[in-house]
Structure formats: C-alpha cells, structure tokens
Amino acid sequence: MSLKPWYAVATPHEDIRKGRLEEAVFAANIWAVVQGTAPEVYLDPEEFFGKTYMTTGIGTVLSRVSNALAGKSESGDRIISLQTSFGGGKTHTLVALWHLAKHAGKLKHSTHAKDLSRVLENRFPEQVRSVAVFTNASCDATQGRETPEGIHTRTLWGELAVQLGGKKLYEKIRANDETQRVPQGIFADVLREATPCIILLDELADYCVGAAAVPVGDTTLADQTISFIQQLEEAVDQVPGSAVVATLPASKYEVAQSEKGQETFMTLEKRFQRLGADVKPVADDEIYEVVRARLFESITPPDEPDHPKKVAQTYQTMYATHSGEVLSEAAKKTYREQIERAYPFHPLVIDALHTRWGSHPDFQRTRGVLRLLASVVGDLWKRRKGSTQTQHLIQPCHIRWSIDAMQAALTRLWGPAYQSVAAADIIGQKSNAAAFDEERGADYAREEIGQGIAAAILLGSFGGKAGRSGFSSKEIKLACSKQGVNWNYADGALLELENRCFYLHSTTAGALGKRYWFSTKPTLNKLIIQYRQQMAGETFEDEILEDLRTQAGKGALAGATWRVIVDPAEDLPEQKALTLLILPPSLAWNGNGPEKDLARDQVLKISGKCGGRDRLFKNTLISLAGTSRGLNKLRQARREKAALEGVKSDYGDQLDKGQRDDLQKRLEAVERSTLEALGPAYTVAIRVQGEDVEVCSLADARPSFQEHLGYLWTTLVDDEEWILRRVGSVTLEKTGLILKEGALRIKDAIDAFLRFTDKPMISSKDAVTAGLVQACADGLIGIGRGGSPSTLQASYCRQSVSVDPNEDGVWIIPAFEPEQEEGAKDTGAAQTGEESVSPGEGGREDVGATGVAGVGTTPSEEEVRKVRRFKVSGSVPVENYSELFRCFVGPAARMNLKKLNLGIQFEMETFPDKELDPNDPSLKAMEEAARQLGIEFEKEE
C-alpha cells in the first residue's frame, strides 16, 4: 500500500510551521493572562479553546465550576484541587476557567468552542460578578503588591478581597492584611457580596515556601496562609455561587528540598483533600489527543479523512508479519487503534517522553512533551523538501538531537555530559552512527538507518520501568522500522553500532532480546579507541619481528630445506646452504617507490659483502619482503592487540563481567588476526641476478605463517623454478658440467651453484649430486673416484653410482664406453683413445691438451719442469664464471691453489706441487683461455 508522508497530510499550527516556538507558548501563566502579557494563544479565548483538547479532567472541572457559579452544585464540587506533576495541565485548566468566567457569552457562540459547549451541555454561566487569581507571582510575600486601586496588599486574603470587590471588600479585612494575621470567620462575608465568583489559586505551595521566611508574631506568614486555606474552604462551603480551584504539585519534592518546605506542602495537601474534590486534568491515555490538538491545525485533509486509519492498518500489519521481533502488543488490534489516535506521531515517541521522561521530577509532563514535540515537528516540517527519509509517521528514529530544544532538555534533565555522548555517537557527520551510514551508502545513507536507531535509543535511555533504562531490540524495531524499507537493516545496524559507538551499552533482556541505552560512562569501545589513538604513531617493528621469529621457528612445510633468518644483519656470515632472509618491516617492497629502492639496496648489500670482505656464497640467499599495504594491515592488527592489552592492564579491574568477557573474546580474535596477517604482509621474494635483483610476487597467502612459507617454497620450486630439487641434464649442459674433455671435482661443481648467481639455486648439495648421478646413469657424463683425475681408482658411466657431496675425490669426467674401461690407469686412454701412462709410470697426473687434469699424454720423466708459479687475474663477467672454473680453478685446485678471489675482479695464484715445463699443455691451455677471456696469465719460471 502506497502511503504519503505525514507532512503531505497533516498541517501543523502556524507558529510551528514558521518556527515561532517561544517557551511561553507552552508554559501557561494564569497571572500573565490576568495582566494581559501572555502570548496571544492564551489571551484570545477562541484561539485558546481551538487549540485545547477537551480532556475528561478539564471538562469535569469546567462543568463543576459552571454549575457552581449557577448555584447548582454541592459544596464538595465547589472546592477543587488539581494535583499533578509539573506540566500536567493544571495551569492550562485555570486559564480555561478564567476564560469561561470572563468570556462565557463570546464562547457560547464560537465555532472554536464546540467541545466546551458539549461538556457544559451548552449551559454557560450567565453572569459572573468577579474572578480572583493568586499565584506565587501575584503578591510578594515580603514586599506585597501595589494594586491599580492604590491599595498595598500584603497577604493572600488581602489580594483576593481586592480582586473580588475592590476597596469596598478590602476594607472588611484591611486590618488582617496589614498585620498579616488570618481573618477568622469573616471571609464568608466577602464572598457573599462577590458571588457568583470564582477564586483560582496557582503555585500556592511555592508561595508558602517564601512566606515561611516572613515572621508574623510567633508564627510565619506561611503558617497564617495555610490557616487561611481552611477559612477559605469553610467560607466557600457556606456561600453558594462561589468556587475555589487550587493547584498542587504531585509530590513534596517538586516544592522544595528543605524539610520545612516539604512539610508546608503536605499540610496544604491535607487541607484541600479534607473538603475538596481532586481532579486530574490530563489522563495518561489522553496525551495523544492533547498533543495533536495543540500542535496541529489539521490532521487530515477533507478528502482523506481515513488516512490515519490507513497508516495504522499498514503498520500494524507489518508488525504482525514480524510478530516475533516486536513487542507482543504491537501485533494486536489495540495497537492499531493507538497508532491511529497518535497520528502523525508513532505512539512510542509520545509514550517515551510522557512516561519515561515524565518520571523526572523536573520534567513537566504535558507541557514538556508539547514543547519538545513542537520542536521536532517544526524541524521535520522545515526540512521536509530535502529529506530522503521515509516519514509515514513521526518515529523516534526521526528525532534530530541537534535541535536546540532537545539539546537543552537533554542537558538540563540528564546532565551536560550527554552533549558529548550525542556528538560522539549520534549527531553530526563525524558521529559514529553517521559514519556507519555513509560507509554503507544506498538505503543506509538515504534512510539514515544508523543515526535513526541511535536517536531512538537515546530517547529511550532515561526513566525506564523499574529503573531499567533503554529500549529492547524489539522496541527499537518498533521505533525505527518503516513500511517499504528492508526490515532486516536494524539487525546489522545494531550490531555495527555496538562495535562503533563509544557510549552505547547493552545487556541481555530475556525474551525481548537485548536492551540498549546510552550512558555518559564510556564503553569498552571508547577505551579501546583511546588506546588506539595513543598508539597511532607506533610501528611495532620489534613486536612484528618477534612474531616472525616465533612463527618461522615452528618448522618447515612442503619439504622446504632452507634455513630462515629474520632481520639479517649486514655482516651476515657466509651461508653455504640455501637461506631465506626475512627483511624487517621497515624495508617494504612498494612498487616503484623509495621503499622499494631501500629494500633492493639492502638485498644487494648483503649479497655483496660478508662483513669486511666479499661474500663468496651468493647464490644461497633469497629475501622475503613485505608490501606497504600488507604491512599497514599487519601494523593495524598489532595496534589493535596493543590497545586491547593496554585496556586490560589498566582498566581490567574496573570493567564489569560482561565487559571483561567481551575484552577477552576480542583479545583472542585479534591474536589470531595478528598472526594471520603475517603471510599477507610478506608476499615479495627477491633474489640477486648479476648486479640487479629478480622479484617474485605471491598472488595469494596462507592463514598461518608456517603454511605461508610452505606456499612460498612451492611457488619458487614448482612455478618459478628458482630452486631446483635436482639439477637436470639441460641445466648441467648450460652450466658446462657435461664435459667433453678434462675433469672437474664434484665439490667444485656444487660450490659453483652455491656461489654464482647466474645459476639456479639448489635446495641442497644433493640436488647437484642427484643430477650428476642421473646424468652418469644416462651416459651423459662419467664419474670417477681418486686423488686426481690421473689417478682414478674407479670410473663410472652408464651405471648407477653413489656420490657423497662432501667427498673430496669424486670427479666429473667425460662420458665413456664402459667396455673400454680396464682400470683406473686406463682412464685417459678410455677418454681420448690414446695410450695413457699411469702416475707410477709417468710420475704425475695425466694432463690433456685442453689443460684439464686427467686428459692427454704424459711427458717423460726426464723433462725438466721449470714453472714454479702462475697467476691469472682480470675483470670477468659473472656469466663467464663457469669457464673460469673449467679452465683455471679446477686444474689449479689440484696443483696447490694458494689464492683465489671470485669477485668481479677475478684473481687466482697457484704454486704447483711439482714444477711444470713451460710448454706443458695445461699451461698452454690456460694461456689460450686467458687470451679468449681477455684476462692476464702470468707464469714464473
């Protein structure tokens, strides 16, 4: 069913539409009416009755007084006390009586006084001789009052006599007034000459509080005044045609805090109750009609008289559909009638102010409700064209607590601290509720879901039943749900507000769900946020590094063989096996930003130097760096953990059990999230390639850091092939280990993989030996065992062989046909097809034409060896390091290698165990290789 907004149907009074909401408009003052200084709404009898809802109580009082003035009532109906709390309609009733007595003829024929004619049965007072009004502002207890007649009155009885009959009647009690002594038995004479008359007494208890300070003989003026009330009641009882109506507060605490003032109130109460009838001007179930009559010019247009009924039916049907989520009475027919009576307000708005707020001794129930609701209506009317909220009814969720009247009432009744509560959580674009709506956008922003719920909760945060303030979740849905808006928004919004709001408290409420209220005491959220703010500048570097060490130390997954070092120092010792270096959070890898340069420079620095010397084993280091985004999230989780730990440490003993349990749950959750953030933070693997670095960015992460490192290992081994579990034949070929001539010690081959960054990384030394063993079995290479290639005790090819990577005397040799092998001494011949001389015969290792030991012919023992030292040096690119090993390092290692520098500036110096002939083929081969590589070869004969 399509429904119109309330402002397209109902029309507020002009003063509300135009924002003329003066305090005096809602604070009736009978003495100001008498003086002619009250607002026009109180001075004009027709306008007054036009805006007055004729409650049962007001109608009863008007009818009784009208009969009394006509001399048709018993004495008990002519003495009336109106006893309600502040703002309960007492003074409004006195103003109605004043106009009835003063303007009966005009009202009898007025269209604005139809309800008045109804309750009087059209029998208006024919002629009222006099009306006397006395309030706490009429005659000062100490100074008295100078009347227009030139009489200086000093007491209640003096004032009443002057107003009832001027100087003539005043003369009857002049002596009593001047001496401030109560007239004894003579006031009936005054009334007889003044009837038909009515006496209206307002705020008499408050007047007596001041009069108690005025001494009269051994008594006070207050004592004399209370005594006069008895004289007055007896006089009215004796004189038909006279009536007295007096107002009394509902409680002694509304009069004064002093014991004397409260005693005065109780005495007055007894005096009026002894003879008079007590009437309540406004019953609780009439407040809806009172509000509508005072605030609205019309509730429905002539062409839509049933619109309130249609709205009530629609909303009651909605509540019935969700009967388990709202108060049980909301799904009943009686609640539909309640909505119709309260229209355009939702009943909960009026009920909360009238009953909950009305429990405060300083809140004037009827007057206060009218004043606040007038402000709400005026605000919504003013903003109606720009509003995006659904407003079939005026609900608690539509209240803006930034309205001056609402702010003033909030602080006056409940304390100034609530301004901070409202500012932080409810009103303004920076409030927590507004921030939530903005983040969610769409319906949340248009309907102000979060702000509306927060506004409703604040309304219900005071004066709850049995001291239990706040709205239950069922009441909140009643207060905030709107036809046409997703019913379930409230659940998510409540949960989010609980997490965000600084001052929002909650507790379980049994069948009603949870109960929510705002308090000036900060919630756990507030404390946590304060600690977060205190730690905003912390980087948590040490804490993150400690977490990394702890998690990395739990063991490897996925068969990872690397050693893990967190936050490596620049003087990191040589790492002769694969090592994962986890960089500190301060070295983030961030695209092309400066952070990336810092991380890159640190990786190259560690790779280049080992303390004060050049690093030899460069191809064992992989670095793992974090990204700026990932590290920020990790720091955020760490900050949350630190904030929670700070709150627990500093405020743990001040929290209630619910808060302590909540804090512990949050700590457990943030502990998990902190550890789970490590993996997503560290997703960039870096290795050195030549003079620069190569990067692998992980596309995913794992929940635990241990699993994350396993995922990193799998990626680098299986996907990126940075790390080889076994060196295959293709890699052996590329790195020059499939020899066609010469020989190379397997330990040197392994060292080449561990040292030089042009080669793949290996998971372990076994990766190389396993590859070589397979290549040997496939007939791609041979493997020999012996002190040198020329003295091999055994050679293997096309057969399985066991190789220990740490064994010294194991060599890579060219492949050969096994059937040609006759022993270790025939190795050279088997390889070259030439006759080989054994070391025993030749007296040295076999040296081939290529300069690699174990290949070629052997000179005769008689040849003189004259070369005692040779040196190779020069600048060699990294990609040529395999040639250096094959041509120089390998042969020299078998000749007493004394000096070796494998930096970019290559240098090797060798002192052979036995002097070599200058024309030795191995030397010649080295000279030729040096020439081709563009480096120097020096020999000393």
Side-chain angles (χ1 to χ4, degrees), residues 655-700:
L655 302 176
D656 58 36
K657 184 180 184 302
Q659 288 176 317
R660 287 196 299 272
D661 292 344
D662 186 13
L663 178 60
Q664 186 59 38
K665 288 180 181 178
R666 294 189 189 209
L667 273 168
E668 292 169 359
V670 78
E671 180 69 34
R672 291 192 298 269
S673 63
T674 299
L675 297 180
E676 290 171 358
L678 289 172
Y682 279 84
T683 57
V684 179
I686 310 168
R687 70 170 180 177
V688 175
Q689 277 249 298
E691 297 185 11
D692 207 343
V693 298
E694 181 181 357
V695 172
C696 170
S697 295
L698 298 179
D700 199 0

Side-chain angles (χ1 to χ4, degrees), residues 27 40 172 212 276 309 346 441 548 652 824 831 843 915:
E40 187 63 25
K172 291 181 178 291
K309 184 178 292 185
H346 190 288
L548 290 170
Q831 295 174 10
E915 294 181 342

Side-chain angles (χ1 to χ4, degrees), residues 282-339:
V282 181
D284 287 342
D285 62 353
E286 294 176 311
I287 188 63
Y288 300 147
E289 289 79 5
V290 171
V291 169
R292 293 206 313 186
R294 179 59 188 86
L295 302 185
F296 288 90
E297 195 171 278
S298 65
I299 297 299
T300 61
D303 58 338
E304 290 188 89
D306 293 332
H307 187 78
K309 184 178 292 185
K310 186 186 346 181
V311 173
Q313 177 65 51
T314 302
Y315 271 73
Q316 194 271 335
T317 301
M318 179 177 71
Y319 297 146
T321 303
H322 301 279
S323 57
E325 300 179 63
V326 295
L327 298 175
S328 57
E329 58 263 31
K332 298 176 182 178
K333 179 182 177 181
T334 51
Y335 202 72
R336 181 181 67 202
E337 296 169 351
Q338 205 171 335
I339 296 173

